Amino acid sequence: MFPPVSNNPIAKEPRAPNKTKITDYEPTSADSELRTALFELMDKKATDLFGDSKTYGAGHLMSNDILKRIIGLNHILGSKLTVEKLSREISWGLLDDYGEEVIELCASYRPRTSISPPSTPSLGSLLLDDHNNLDSSQQSSSRRTKPLRCQLCGGLGHTGTLCSMS
């Protein structure tokens, strides 16, 4: 006879994390220089491994697809790019051997961006400048509030709770 059927569902393995989506971007000069530096590194490693053979070169150690992916990840992730992250993003058999060198090269070819905090003008200048700089079309479309009017005396600028008449 057949064994009894279990009600326990079969345990599924956790899904691997998605790879980083590299959206279209405008390559910078740093990206081009990184491409050249990675190619030269792989060419040197190929020479070390295979000698001065014309048959084996940088393309045998790192394909163009992997090269493009590394450059794209460096462009998108910047300083967050590590060997561990790279191992999740690409399938490259030589990552254990050359991963640290690739990350060091990537770090040296990241665009240097200096982010300065926005200047903060004084509150008084903001209030005056914003009101004075509006042209007539902006003033008519901007929200206007009615001035406060007292219900007891009918005066402007205060309400009945602060009126001297009460």
Side-chain angles (χ1 to χ4, degrees):
M1 257 257 125
F2 296 108
V5 178
S6 170
N7 289 338
N8 295 337
I10 298 173
K12 294 181 180 178
E13 286 189 33
R15 197 176 128 188
N18 292 339
K19 292 183 177 181
T20 303
K21 181 170 174 58
I22 300 176
T23 56
D24 290 339
Y25 64 92
E26 190 67 34
T28 63
S29 60
D31 295 329
S32 299
E33 292 168 6
L34 175 59
R35 180 181 187 83
T36 303
L38 284 171
F39 186 82
E40 288 172 355
L41 174 68
M42 289 300 109
D43 201 38
K44 179 183 177 295
K45 296 299 179 181
T47 302
D48 293 346
L49 288 172
F50 307 118
D52 285 333
S53 172
K54 300 288 182 196
T55 308
Y56 300 107
H60 285 85
L61 298 182
M62 181 184 287
S63 69
N64 284 336
D65 290 339
I66 291 174
L67 187 68
K68 285 172 53 177
R69 181 104 180 127
I70 290 171
I71 294 166
L73 288 168
N74 187 55
H75 187 91
I76 301 290
L77 298 177
S79 61
K80 295 177 187 175
L81 185 61
T82 62
V83 176
E84 293 78 27
K85 180 72 173 164
L86 205 54
S87 70
R88 288 189 299 262
E89 296 287 338
I90 62 173
S91 297
W92 182 40
L94 299 173
L95 186 62
D96 291 338
D97 299 327
Y98 305 124
E100 287 296 330
E101 290 177 83
V102 167
I103 294 297
E104 287 174 16
L105 269 179
C106 288
S108 63
Y109 286 98
R110 283 188 193 116
R112 305 279 190 263
T113 56
S114 61
I115 300 172
S116 59
S119 61
T120 54
S122 68
L123 181 60
S125 66
L126 278 177
L127 294 174
L128 292 175
D129 288 345
D130 286 347
H131 181 67
N132 293 336
N133 288 337
L134 293 177
D135 63 5
S136 60
S137 66
Q138 290 174 324
Q139 285 178 354
S140 64
S141 66
S142 67
R143 185 175 148 194
R144 294 185 183 164
T145 58
K146 291 182 180 179
L148 296 175
R149 183 173 294 272
C150 179
Q151 293 178 350
L152 296 175
C153 72
L156 293 176
H158 65 277
T159 61
T161 57
L162 298 174
C163 184
S164 60
M165 303 274 295
S166 60

